[in-house]
Amino acid sequence: MSTVTTEAIRKTVLVDFAPAEAFELFTARIASWWPVRTHSYGGDKVKNVILEPHVGGRLYEVTDDEEQDWGKVLAWDPPNGFLLDWQIGEACGTEVEVTFAPEGPGSRVVLEHRGFSESDPRERYEGGWDVVLAPFVETASKKA
Amino acid sequence: MHAFDVLGDPVRRRLLELLADGERTAGALTEIVRAEFGISQPAVSQHLRVLREAGLVSDNKEGTRRVYRIEPDGLLRVREYFDGFWAEALEHFREAAREETG
């Protein structure tokens, strides 16, 4: 019997500086800390990780040959937080929200990854299909 | 820890999209995906095996056909995966934050 829940994933980090700095480190300087070796498509070949700082902006990795999207910005509210449409394969249709709140002399950074509890798989993949449709159509027509 | 490639492969994503509409035979899936991606039948079988082993799809022999369907619990495994994924990623953020204040 599985005891795994479909509730949102929720992780908290406490840092010793104000929300604005925490927001900047997390977003503008994401490439300085993100573990690309284990958390990317390209692994050791990844040269950069970029989060475009506006609604509609992309979160993506860069290798010598190409860029690969991880997600898209749905909401952008520095220094309070941001919301991503998470677009990694089977997790398409889930959302990642990161918030930054003052706590004492520092900040509480909370990451929530949610959307795992749809009862109808079609709801998840329909959203995902729109995102992937365009590049596949292009690729398919090039192969034809 | 796996790279995104395990979850993010476009062929596997397409297979899951096809199965989200309802169950299909291995043959039907193979025909569609081979045409769209230009890959071989063994390559499609390999992708189906990865999805099976990840618990995202299940298969049944029905007469002479092998029928695939989406595993509804598959979402739980994806969630499990990302739970560890974020724990690790944020550990790196925590380290970087500590170095800032040092």
Side-chain angles (χ1 to χ4, degrees), chain A residues 2 4-9 11-13 15-17 22 25-26 29 33-35 38-41 70 86-92 96 109 111 113 116-118 121-122 124-125 128-129 132 136 140 143, chain B residues 1-14 16-17 20-21 36-38 51 56 70 72-73 75-76 78-90 92-94 96-98 100-101:
Chain A
S2 175
V4 177
T5 176
T6 55
E7 283 172 19
I9 295 163
K11 305 285 181 194
T12 299
V13 179
V15 302
D16 291 333
F17 33 86
L25 173 62
F26 200 108
R29 290 192 285 140
W33 59 268
W34 187 272
T38 49
H39 289 51
S40 69
Y41 289 98
W70 300 353
W86 196 243
Q87 296 168 342
I88 308 297
E90 288 78 351
C92 258
V96 175
V109 180
L111 181 142
H113 189 170
F116 295 99
S117 57
E118 272 88 336
R122 264 172 296 186
R124 286 204 308 130
Y125 292 107
W129 176 235
V132 305
F136 285 166
K143 282 190 203 294
Chain B
M1 271 297 162
H2 302 288
F4 279 170
D5 202 49
V6 170
L7 288 190
D9 183 273
V11 175
R12 290 198 284 276
R13 204 156 53 203
R14 180 59 174 138
L16 289 169
E17 281 158 2
D21 283 341
E36 289 180 1
F37 290 87
L51 288 173
L56 293 169
I70 281 240
D73 279 352
L75 259 180
L76 301 183
V78 176
R79 189 207 171 277
E80 249 181 85
Y81 171 86
F82 276 105
D83 193 77
F85 173 95
W86 287 117
E88 174 100 4
L90 290 176
H92 286 259
F93 175 70
R94 189 181 277 115
R98 268 193 220 122
E100 292 275 295
T101 47

Side-chain angles (χ1 to χ4, degrees), chain B residues 46-66:
Chain B
Q46 165 75 353
H47 284 298
L48 285 169
R49 189 165 67 77
V50 171
L51 288 173
R52 228 169 39 233
E53 285 173 4
L56 293 169
V57 307
S58 60
D59 69 329
N60 273 106
K61 206 116 175 61
E62 292 178 10
T64 55
R65 309 175 315 159
R66 184 164 292 281

Side-chain angles (χ1 to χ4, degrees), chain A residues 5 9 15 21 24 29 38-39 44 51-52 54-55 59 63 68 74 76-77 89 96 116 120 122 126-127 130 135-136:
Chain A
T5 176
I9 295 163
V15 302
E21 277 99 314
E24 197 258 349
R29 290 192 285 140
T38 49
H39 289 51
D44 288 334
L51 175 51
E52 294 173 338
H54 53 86
V55 172
L59 169 61
T63 59
Q68 287 262 35
L74 297 174
W76 189 258
D77 181 27
V96 175
F116 295 99
D120 184 351
R122 264 172 296 186
E126 265 160 23
D130 283 341
F136 285 166

